[in-house]
Amino acid sequence: VCKQIRANPKLEFTKVILVSGKAMIEERLIGYEIGADEYMTKPFVPEELLAKAKVFLRLTAMEKELREMNTSLDAKVQARTKQLMNTEAKLINAAKMSALGEMAGGIAHEVNTPLGVITLAAGQLSDLIDNKDIDRASLKDMAKMIEDTVKRISRIIQGLRNFSRDGSKDRYEIV
């Protein structure tokens, strides 16, 4: 019977007091091995059996309280772990946003400089066109400068695309 009680997970914490007429130490040890929590031999004193039963009831209540405390502690640990993971995710995101802000400033500078060159060249082209005497060599030089500057901006953008992700499947072509 004791083995069956120990085999049932629902009775895992049930206390077993084995009462037997077998008083030899070997027999008592076998009783403990098969799962008895206490072993009493016959004849026994009923008050002692009652006292031991009360002790086991207190132990069972304390074990139940301990299991509940462990369950509560586990829930608190899980909640705190989740809170820490959320905080960590927010910190990582803040660090990424900070790095992105710094990168955006650098990108703006890298792109604005060539755009300034293009704007200057476009203004000079406009002045040349307004002039009755058009210097074709100067026009060609200005167009070449604009083309080179646009290629520089394209290389900057391509570098950013390569850095940030695999852009090989993008539909637009590199200028």
Side-chain angles (χ1 to χ4, degrees), residues 45-159:
V45 178
E47 291 82 10
E48 182 183 9
L49 179 61
L50 182 61
K52 288 183 181 198
K54 287 180 180 179
V55 167
F56 283 129
L57 287 173
R58 281 196 314 270
L59 282 174
T60 301
M62 291 170 72
E63 287 174 345
K64 181 181 178 187
E65 184 180 346
L66 184 59
R67 283 191 308 275
E68 289 170 356
M69 289 171 70
N70 281 338
T71 300
S72 173
L73 184 58
D74 284 344
K76 288 178 182 178
V77 166
Q78 287 178 0
R80 182 68 175 141
T81 300
K82 184 177 179 180
Q83 182 184 27
L84 289 172
M85 290 173 70
N86 287 339
T87 300
E88 180 184 36
K90 288 177 184 176
L91 288 172
I92 290 171
N93 192 40
K96 285 181 181 179
M97 294 306 290
S98 175
L100 186 60
E102 288 182 35
M103 189 187 309
I107 293 168
H109 175 73
E110 287 296 318
V111 172
N112 276 333
T113 301
L115 287 176
V117 171
I118 292 171
T119 302
L120 177 66
Q124 290 174 344
L125 278 174
S126 181
D127 289 345
L128 279 174
I129 291 171
D130 287 343
N131 187 350
K132 302 287 185 207
D133 251 349
I134 295 179
D135 179 11
R136 296 183 87 49
S138 293
L139 284 175
K140 196 167 192 158
D141 289 342
M142 297 277 179
K144 176 74 171 122
M145 183 174 36
I146 291 172
E147 182 182 348
D148 290 344
T149 306
V150 167
K151 285 180 183 178
R152 179 177 171 203
I153 293 172
S154 293
R155 283 192 304 273
I156 292 169
I157 291 170
Q158 182 61 37

